[in-house]
Amino acid sequence: MTTMQRRHDIDALRVIAFGLLILYHSGMFYVADWGWHIKSVYTSEWLQEPMRFLNQWRMSLLFVISGLAMSFVRRRYTGGRLALRRLWRLGLPLIFGMAVIVAPQPYFEALGKGIIEPGYWAFWGQYLTFQDFPGNAWGGENEIVWTWNHLWYLPYVLFYTLLAIPLGLVLDKIGVNRLLRNLRGWAVVAVPVIPLMLYGNFVFPHYPFIDHSLLGDTYAHCLYGTLFFYGYLIGNHLPWWDALAKHRRGLLITGLVAYISLRTQEWWVPENASGIIEQLSFLSVYVNRWTWILVLFAYGYRYLNRPSDKLRYATDAIFPWYILHQTITVALGGTLGSLALGPVIEPLLVVGGTVLGCYVIYEFFIRRIPVLRPLFGLPWKARQSTAAHRVTASTQ
């Protein structure tokens, strides 16, 4: 057992991952032929390619990082205390977010479909009291429920965290963590892909959609739950991270080849392909997804593992920004969409307004008002010291 300095590279990658998520959701308002809550009239096909690239690993990266975070803190608290801390940190923002922050999103969606009349406060009163709306008001739901929309990540990671508290003890005891941490070279890519390939063959055909419903989202749980536990098992084992950083260029080349292979198959291979062609398609998907996570980890560990005041600020700010951002994007898009501002001015205002809105609300309200902080996943009091705090983790 040893005391390790805070992993600033993981903080930085968490900020980057959530930042990309914010840009991705802004792009969903403008990408052509992809459904979303509301859409601009100024859609663009060229957005599809960068968003396809991000879509392969953006959420997977967050779940691996969440598993890493769990491994960093698991020895600091008893199981019960850790569960209560995570319920408070994730559960309270989820409930508040669904009731208050997310509510404007279904309002603008139903308004855009012409299902309800303008008037947000009347809508919100119905929403809070679970009164019925038309079945296609948003998301294809047949009855009114509070929706978590982009906050679906919170109940999922909370579920995996609570599961990891007892299951982690078993995994440690049977040595699964040692197996993963001892992987080197090509095995660090190939071995973790094997379970993902099994999911592609035996789970995905029966549950081909990720619908963010939590209880019935079987394939999503197989995928994201496994990636969460990969992060948990890797932990802060520095020899593994040192070896990963050493092979960063090879990983980058592997990731590029995997993505080119993936896109080539999407262009040329028919959807009903089977046999070896189907297996090559699955292999491209999962190698691409896992390799890009490793690429980001390798380069992050090599170049981003250093403290800074800006990183410290961003680490505190990014979770409130995540909670806020999509509602601001939807509200701006729904409001500005009727003004016919053009394909340049409107996106600049929507993206810039989303960033500015997140900054203003966080900096001048959430960050400074103690009662608001826990509602956005922050402790009651801000950290006072700029020194990196320490976490306890095993390096065995």
Side-chain angles (χ1 to χ4, degrees):
M1 187 78 67
T2 185
T3 300
M4 301 298 298
Q5 287 285 350
R6 185 179 180 94
R7 286 290 301 276
H8 304 288
D9 56 317
I10 301 302
D11 286 340
L13 288 176
R14 179 173 173 269
V15 170
I16 291 170
F18 276 122
L20 289 173
L21 184 63
I22 291 171
L23 292 176
Y24 182 89
H25 286 153
S26 296
M28 285 298 295
F29 186 48
Y30 292 102
V31 64
D33 302 324
W34 292 15
W36 203 49
H37 307 291
I38 62 172
K39 299 292 289 188
S40 173
V41 297
Y42 307 113
T43 57
S44 300
E45 291 187 1
W46 71 265
L47 280 173
Q48 292 179 4
E49 196 59 42
M51 292 184 68
R52 279 194 183 98
F53 174 69
L54 290 178
N55 204 29
Q56 273 287 300
W57 48 263
R58 59 186 179 86
M59 291 307 304
S60 297
L61 174 63
L62 278 173
F63 280 104
V64 180
I65 290 174
S66 297
L68 282 166
M70 179 64 179
S71 75
F72 294 163
V73 302
R74 64 192 174 101
R75 299 185 189 276
R76 298 174 62 191
Y77 309 102
T78 64
R81 187 179 178 195
L82 181 56
L84 289 174
R85 288 178 65 88
R86 289 310 188 197
L87 282 167
W88 178 261
R89 174 80 189 275
L90 299 173
L92 182 61
L94 175 62
I95 295 171
F96 175 76
M98 292 171 65
V100 178
I101 305 299
V102 171
Q105 297 181 39
Y107 168 74
F108 279 103
E109 183 172 350
L111 190 65
K113 294 176 179 177
I115 293 172
I116 62 173
E117 296 295 325
Y120 176 71
W121 299 114
F123 166 87
W124 195 35
Q126 279 187 278
Y127 179 84
L128 290 178
T129 54
F130 297 96
Q131 295 183 46
D132 196 25
F133 285 85
N136 62 345
W138 62 82
E141 296 168 354
N142 294 321
E143 59 183 12
I144 178 62
V145 294
W146 284 9
T147 178
W148 46 49
N149 279 5
H150 71 291
L151 299 184
W152 68 268
Y153 162 78
L154 299 184
Y156 281 58
V157 77
L158 178 59
F159 171 65
Y160 304 148
T161 298
L162 296 178
L163 185 62
I165 293 173
L167 185 58
L169 298 175
V170 177
L171 295 175
D172 290 347
K173 186 174 182 178
I174 64 178
V176 177
N177 57 345
R178 290 191 295 274
L179 172 65
L180 193 59
R181 294 175 183 185
N182 287 332
L183 296 178
R184 299 291 186 271
W186 64 269
V188 80
V189 175
V191 173
V193 166
I194 294 173
L196 307 184
M197 286 287 291
L198 293 175
Y199 303 150
N201 277 278
F202 300 108
V203 180
F204 182 76
H206 302 287
Y207 305 94
F209 301 106
I210 294 179
D211 60 11
H212 305 152
S213 63
L214 186 63
L215 296 181
D217 215 0
T218 304
Y219 175 69
H221 286 311
C222 290
L223 175 63
Y224 294 134
T226 297
L227 292 169
F228 176 93
F229 278 97
Y230 282 173
Y232 176 85
L233 294 171
I234 292 166
N236 207 18
H237 186 57
L238 296 186
W240 187 90
W241 289 94
D242 289 335
L244 193 72
K246 181 180 178 180
H247 297 290
R248 60 189 181 276
R249 294 181 182 86
L251 288 169
L252 178 59
I253 293 171
T254 303
L256 291 172
V257 171
Y259 186 70
I260 292 171
S261 174
L262 172 64
R263 294 297 290 127
T264 301
Q265 291 180 67
E266 288 177 345
W267 289 328
W268 297 106
V269 176
E271 292 185 1
N272 59 349
S274 59
I276 188 66
I277 300 299
E278 182 183 39
Q279 295 308 306
L280 288 174
S281 178
F282 282 142
L283 185 64
S284 296
V285 168
Y286 297 122
V287 169
N288 177 75
R289 175 170 287 144
W290 178 241
T291 302
W292 281 104
I293 293 172
L294 295 178
V295 168
L296 291 167
F297 280 164
Y299 278 91
Y301 184 72
R302 176 64 179 82
Y303 296 107
L304 300 178
N305 195 12
R306 54 182 60 89
S308 73
D309 289 338
K310 290 181 180 178
L311 177 59
R312 178 176 174 273
Y313 179 89
T315 299
D316 289 341
I318 196 62
F319 193 61
W321 280 47
Y322 157 71
I323 293 172
L324 291 168
H325 79 276
Q326 185 164 294
T327 292
I328 298 175
T329 298
V330 169
L332 284 172
T335 301
L336 298 175
S338 62
L339 302 181
L341 297 173
V344 176
I345 299 299
E346 184 191 285
L348 288 176
L349 290 176
V350 169
V351 176
T354 298
V355 172
L356 181 62
C358 288
Y359 172 77
V360 169
I361 295 172
Y362 170 73
E363 175 62 26
F364 298 104
F365 296 95
I366 298 171
R367 181 170 177 252
R368 301 172 187 272
I369 302 175
V371 71
L372 291 180
R373 292 177 61 87
L375 300 177
F376 291 88
L378 299 175
W380 287 99
K381 295 182 179 179
R383 290 181 290 170
Q384 298 299 319
S385 173
T386 58
H389 71 271
R390 293 179 176 272
V391 296
T392 301
S394 173
T395 58
Q396 299 302 314

